[in-house]
Every structure is written in C-alpha cells, then in structure tokens.
Amino acid sequence: NFKLQLRAYRFVGHKGSVHSVAASPNGSLIASGSKDRTVRLWIPTVKGESTIIKAHMAAVRSVDFSADGQHLVSASDDKTVKVWSVPAQRFKYSLSGHTNWVRDAKFSPDGRLLISSGDDKTVKLWDSRTQACIHTFYDHTALVGCCQFHPDGTCIASSSADRTIKLWDIR
C-alpha cells in the first residue's frame, strides 16, 4: 500500500485572493500575485517570511520569473505589465499598451522578449531591452487568459475564452 505523505506549508499574508504563483529557477523564492494589488516574494521555509512589493493599482493576475531568476514580471487588471529586479526587489519598468485587464505575462527563455495577454483579446510581444511592443496579435475573438513561450523561444502559444488556442512562429 502506497501512502503519500507530503507536508503542505501554509504561507499567509495576502489580503485578497491569490491569483498566481511562480517558483524561481533555483527554488530559493516563491512569488505570488494577489487581488490585494501586491506581489509577495516568499522564502520557502517553515517560517514563510515574505517581502511585500506594492506592485499595481489593481489585482495582480500573473507572476513569472525570468530563466536566470534575476527578474520577475507581473500582469494586472490595471492594464499594465511590470518588470521587477529580484535581487534589489525593486521596480524596473512598466509596459503599457493593453486596453483592458492583463491576464498573463511571461519571459522568453533567453529573457530578451516578453509576451502578455489580456481581456482586450490580444497577445503582445515586447522587447525587454527597448521596452517597446514589437507586435500585437489580434487573432482571438474573446479574452486571452494564458500565454507561453516554447522552450526554444521560437514560438508562442495562447489560450482564449473563444475556445481556441493559437500558435505563432516568431522567428
């Protein structure tokens, strides 16, 4: 008889529902985004200590670490995507261009690009160096809930309330 015995650690601190969680690549931090408009960086220990980042003017829908763990991206109902320095735990820059809530944002595997998706039915591709929107994909007909880079960085995928997924080759 197999008995699974895993211990759950409970991290308490957000003042609203938690919408997203991500682990840093080396596992030393856990990030969470909440309806309380904050991002928390948790040290995954029994104590569950966290640093609060007053991130956005509305709910934080998504958090994601860069592959090197040096940056964190957050997406929010305030229609922005924000990038944070993890070591300094400080704001770096904001990406604006969505016309409605931003549901998700991710770094490319090499960290040079970001993608975001939202209730404006779009997926946006951003250059992390210039902070410019390189391209906007208008192919969905309803809110776009999730977006993701292929592990080799050559394609992006999105899922939508229009009951479809879309794939784009961005080479």
Side-chain angles (χ1 to χ4, degrees):
N1 291 336
F2 180 76
K3 291 183 181 178
L4 188 60
Q5 296 179 355
L6 298 176
R7 182 172 178 194
Y9 294 93
R10 186 171 182 243
F11 298 146
V12 178
H14 281 294
K15 306 234 182 303
S17 58
V18 180
H19 294 299
S20 182
V21 65
S24 65
N26 68 5
S28 66
L29 289 172
I30 305 291
S32 58
S34 171
K35 186 176 181 178
D36 68 10
R37 303 180 307 218
T38 68
V39 169
R40 282 186 179 250
L41 294 176
W42 304 88
I43 299 169
T45 62
V46 176
K47 289 182 181 179
E49 297 169 340
S50 68
T51 300
I52 302 168
I53 299 174
K54 293 182 178 166
H56 289 273
M57 300 303 292
V60 179
R61 294 284 176 174
S62 168
V63 291
D64 184 53
F65 284 95
S66 59
D68 64 6
Q70 296 298 300
H71 297 96
L72 182 78
V73 63
S74 58
S76 172
D77 288 358
D78 66 10
K79 306 177 192 174
T80 67
V81 172
K82 292 187 178 180
V83 175
W84 310 86
S85 167
V86 172
Q89 297 180 355
R90 299 232 186 270
F91 172 77
K92 284 193 75 176
Y93 59 86
S94 185
L95 303 172
S96 298
H98 282 281
T99 58
N100 206 331
W101 296 355
V102 186
R103 297 275 179 163
D104 201 8
K106 297 283 192 303
F107 283 101
S108 64
D110 63 9
R112 292 184 313 113
L113 301 171
L114 294 108
I115 51 173
S116 59
S117 60
D119 285 19
D120 59 4
K121 307 175 194 174
T122 68
V123 175
K124 292 187 177 289
L125 182 64
W126 306 89
D127 184 313
S128 65
R129 292 181 188 145
T130 64
Q131 301 156 28
C133 181
I134 299 168
H135 191 78
T136 301
F137 300 90
Y138 295 97
D139 301 70
H140 285 291
T141 59
L143 73 84
V144 185
C146 297
C147 56
Q148 184 66 52
F149 278 93
H150 186 277
D152 69 10
T154 61
C155 298
I156 58 173
S158 62
S159 64
S160 172
D162 67 11
R163 302 184 312 241
T164 67
I165 63 167
K166 305 282 184 182
L167 301 172
W168 293 278
D169 187 330
I170 59 170
R171 287 177 279 193

